[in-house]
Amino acid sequence: MSRVKQGFRIELDPGDVRREAMGRHAGLSRFVGNLCLDKIRDAFAARTAEQAAGVPADQQTRAPWTAIDLEKLWRSEHRQVASWFAGSGLSSRIPQEACRLRASGLKNWWESKTGERKGRKVGFPKVRKRQHGSRFRYDADRARPATSGAVKLPGVPGNVTTREDMSWLTARIADGRARIIGATVRETAGRWWVTFQPDIDRTDINTRRTVDPDAPTCGIDLGLKTFAVIADDTGDVEEVQAPRALKAAQRRLRRANKAPHRTRKGSNNRDKARRGLAAPHPTVANRRSDFLHKLTTRLARTRRARTKRAVAVESLNVAGMVRNRRLARAISDAGFGEFLRQLDDKTGWYGSKVWAADRWYPSSKTCSACGAINAGLTLVDRSWTCLCGAEHDRDHNTARNLLAAMHAAMHAA
C-alpha cells in the first residue's frame, strides 16, 4: 500500500451569508494568534526583567511555548478577553488550530536560531494583520466534502458549494482509500478556497502510471533564457519555454499599483482599487503552477509523451540566486525550486527517480565530447568551441553533461 499526504485544493462558491461567516472565522483565527503572541512577548519581557533582578531560573516566568500551553491560556482567558466568542456561533476548533500554528511557528524559529533546522533562517513570528490575508484551519476531518459538489465547514451555515467536481476525492473517502487529516480555508483576491490534506492510498494510480523500465533517461538544464533544455539518451534535445507569467503581467500590475494612490483614503474607490491590485497576482501564480505541474507530470509518469525513468538535474541554490538584484524577479518568476520539488515528489510516486549533481560540478564548463574543462567560460558566453573542435550551445552541453554524470554515478553504484 502506498499512502502519502497530499494536498487537494478546490475553489468555493459561497453566497454572501457564508462568505461573511468565513470572514468572521478568519478574524477569530487572527485574533487568537495575535493574543498568543502578545502573551509570549509579555512572558519574555518578564523573564528578562527577572534575570536582571537576579531571580533564580526555576522561579522565573514561564513562557506559554507549546500548543497545549497556548490552548490552556485561551480556554482560561477567552471569557475576559473575548466575551463575544461564547455566543458568536463560531467553531471552537478555529482557536485550537490557531494556537497550534502559533506554537509551530515558535518551534521553527527556535530550531532555526539554535541550528537544528536546516535551510533559510526563520524569524520570530509576527503579528497577523487583515492585509496579510484571511485564512483559518480545521483539524482532522471536521471540514470535509459533503457531496462531490459541496463541502461542510463547521460554524458556517449549510453546505458551501464548490466550483469544481470533487468525485476523485469523495470516491476514495467513501471506500476508505483516503481520510481527511486537516483543512485550510483561505481567501485570495476575493475568492475563497479550501485545501484538504488527505492521507491517501495512491496504489491504484501509481501502478497504472508506473514508468516503463525501457523509458529513456535525461539530463535537464534549467535557465532563464530557456526554462528547461532536456537531453535524453536517445540523442534528442528538447527546449521548453516558460510562460513568464509575472513578466507578462507587469504592465497590468504597474497600473494597478498606481490606482489606489489616485483615490481618497476610506473611499469606496480606494477599496475597489485595492481589489483590482490583488486580482492579477492569483492569475500569475496559477499560470506558473499550471505550467510546472504539466511539465513535471509529463516527465514523471507513463502514458505521456517523452516520459523519463531517470532525470538528472543540478543542485540549485535558489535562495542565493535571488540575491542578485538584476535577476531576482526573473528567477522567482521561473519557479525553479517548485519545479524540483514537484519533480522529486512525482517521480517517487510513479517509479522514476531524480539524480541531483553536486553543486560544484562544472556542468557548463565541461566539454561533453572530450571532457576538457573550459575554466574561462563566463555567464555571458552562450556558445563556445572546445580545443578538440567541438562546438557547444551552453545549455545543450550542460544537459548532456548532467546525463553523462548520472550514468557514471549509476554504473559506479
Side-chain angles (χ1 to χ4, degrees):
M1 183 178 292
S2 176
R3 297 192 75 93
V4 297
K5 293 179 176 62
Q6 181 178 346
F8 187 90
R9 191 179 77 147
I10 201 81
E11 185 176 1
L12 302 175
D13 186 19
D16 291 340
V17 174
R18 297 183 181 91
R19 190 185 302 273
E20 180 183 356
M22 291 190 294
R24 293 174 65 203
H25 279 85
L28 172 62
S29 177
R30 183 170 58 249
F31 176 85
V32 175
N34 290 341
L35 174 66
C36 293
L37 187 60
D38 289 342
K39 295 296 181 180
I40 292 164
R41 285 176 168 171
D42 291 344
F44 282 171
R47 285 177 65 89
T48 301
E50 290 165 353
Q51 289 171 358
V55 177
D58 58 348
Q59 299 179 18
Q60 294 175 8
T61 301
R62 181 177 178 272
W65 189 261
T66 66
I68 295 176
D69 292 337
L70 293 175
E71 289 172 31
K72 287 181 179 178
L73 184 148
W74 165 254
R75 285 196 296 268
S76 65
E77 297 193 10
H78 79 269
R79 291 179 178 83
Q80 290 76 38
V81 299
S83 57
W84 44 266
F85 175 68
S88 64
L90 299 175
S91 173
S92 62
R93 314 307 301 187
I94 305 304
Q96 180 178 352
E97 284 300 295
C99 292
R100 290 177 180 176
L101 290 174
R102 184 59 81 193
S104 177
L106 288 166
K107 181 174 180 289
N108 291 339
W109 164 71
W110 181 253
E111 290 181 349
S112 178
K113 182 178 180 179
T114 57
E116 298 177 30
R117 179 184 173 93
K118 297 180 180 180
R120 300 177 66 181
K121 290 292 183 181
V122 177
F124 189 79
K126 297 181 180 179
V127 173
R128 280 182 57 192
K129 299 181 180 180
R130 190 173 184 179
Q131 297 91 318
H132 296 160
S134 299
R135 64 185 184 274
F136 56 97
R137 179 174 170 80
Y138 296 100
D139 62 326
D141 63 346
R142 287 173 173 81
R144 60 190 182 277
T147 66
S148 61
V151 298
K152 176 61 179 175
L153 304 178
V156 178
N159 293 332
V160 185
T161 58
T162 61
R163 293 183 179 272
E164 302 170 72
D165 184 75
M166 296 186 294
S167 298
W168 187 90
L169 179 61
T170 55
R172 284 163 172 76
I173 293 175
D175 61 18
R177 286 180 292 168
R179 63 184 181 90
I180 304 297
I181 58 176
T184 302
V185 181
R186 183 187 300 268
E187 181 200 16
T188 304
R191 298 162 64 183
W192 286 90
W193 306 78
V194 59
T195 302
F196 294 110
Q197 290 85 45
D199 177 58
I200 191 165
D201 178 11
R202 292 185 53 92
T203 302
D204 61 325
I205 310 170
N206 294 353
T207 302
R208 189 169 63 251
R209 299 294 191 181
T210 299
V211 173
D212 190 331
D214 296 328
T217 59
C218 74
I220 300 180
D221 174 57
L222 299 177
L224 297 178
K225 183 174 180 289
T226 302
F227 177 81
V229 175
I230 306 172
D232 61 33
D233 50 17
T234 64
D236 294 335
V237 178
E238 177 189 3
E239 294 186 357
V240 179
Q241 302 294 338
R244 299 182 183 179
L246 181 59
K247 182 178 180 180
Q250 281 303 301
R251 182 178 180 184
R252 183 182 176 190
L253 285 170
R254 280 194 294 269
R255 294 179 65 181
N257 273 313
K258 294 177 182 178
H261 301 286
R262 295 169 176 166
T263 58
R264 184 163 44 86
K265 289 185 178 180
S267 66
N268 290 334
N269 283 338
R270 173 64 65 93
D271 291 338
K272 183 178 178 181
R274 283 176 177 169
R275 290 193 296 270
L277 174 58
H281 291 283
T283 302
V284 170
N286 290 340
R287 285 191 64 194
R288 184 185 301 118
S289 178
D290 179 72
F291 164 74
L292 294 175
H293 272 294
K294 287 179 177 177
L295 178 58
T296 52
T297 298
R298 173 166 71 83
L299 290 169
R301 80 180 188 186
T302 193
R303 295 189 181 177
R304 297 275 180 174
R306 293 165 288 193
T307 298
K308 315 300 180 185
R309 61 182 169 86
V311 180
V313 295
E314 292 178 290
S315 298
L316 299 179
N317 179 16
V318 179
M321 293 166 65
V322 296
R323 294 194 186 102
N324 184 331
R325 65 182 183 86
R326 296 180 182 274
L327 299 176
R329 179 187 291 172
I331 293 169
S332 300
D333 193 13
F336 294 142
E338 179 65 10
F339 172 81
L340 296 174
R341 186 197 67 78
Q342 290 185 19
L343 190 63
D344 186 58
D345 285 348
K346 294 178 182 180
T347 51
W349 293 347
Y350 302 119
S352 49
K353 61 182 180 180
V354 173
W355 179 86
D358 181 82
R359 183 169 293 179
W360 308 111
Y361 172 63
S363 56
S364 300
K365 299 180 179 181
T366 303
C367 174
S368 58
C370 70
I373 296 178
N374 181 0
L377 192 69
T378 65
L379 287 174
V380 178
D381 302 322
R382 305 312 305 171
S383 60
W384 57 283
T385 302
C386 181
L387 295 176
C388 70
E391 296 183 357
H392 298 296
D393 176 279
R394 181 192 184 97
D395 298 337
H396 290 212
N397 179 64
T398 301
R400 292 192 182 99
N401 283 331
L402 291 171
L403 177 60
M406 178 178 66
H407 286 172
M410 288 180 174
H411 292 152

